[in-house]
Amino acid sequence: MFMIFFVLDQLDQLDAVLGAWSAVGIRGVTILESTGMYRKQLKHVPMRYLYGCPSPEGEGNYTLLAIVAQEETVHSCLHATEKLVGDLDAPNTGVFASWPLTTVKGLPPTPPTRGE
């Protein structure tokens, strides 16, 4: 099992990224409104982050978290993400990371794929 962590800088791309992740086999994603140290240093954190109000376009980020079974899915997810938001080494695109998990409980069983 692997954890995928993605900070999406382009808020208008959220639905497209979720669709692309679903297309590569990711079944569940946790979505968090977030902001980083850089934006905090530029200006104060908006009150909506303290009280959970939705953020308007152009401010903050979405942080996406997903657990996947195979490392191949991680690479497919990264490729699908970069097709939408651009090369993640470019500014203002986002940050993608993954790491192996040693313990996972609470996930529903994976349904069989087509043809099994």
Side-chain angles (χ1 to χ4, degrees), residues 39-85:
R39 283 199 171 112
K40 169 92 171 89
Q41 290 173 339
L42 289 177
K43 60 183 179 180
H44 73 283
V45 176
M47 291 299 288
R48 76 179 151 274
Y49 290 113
L50 301 176
Y51 298 105
C53 299
S55 64
E57 295 294 314
E59 293 188 27
N61 309 98
Y62 287 119
T63 298
L64 309 180
L65 302 165
I67 297 173
V68 299
Q70 304 294 326
E71 189 171 12
E72 178 182 310
T73 306
V74 173
H75 296 294
S76 296
C77 179
L78 174 58
H79 179 71
T81 301
E82 287 189 309
K83 280 180 68 174
L84 290 169
V85 302

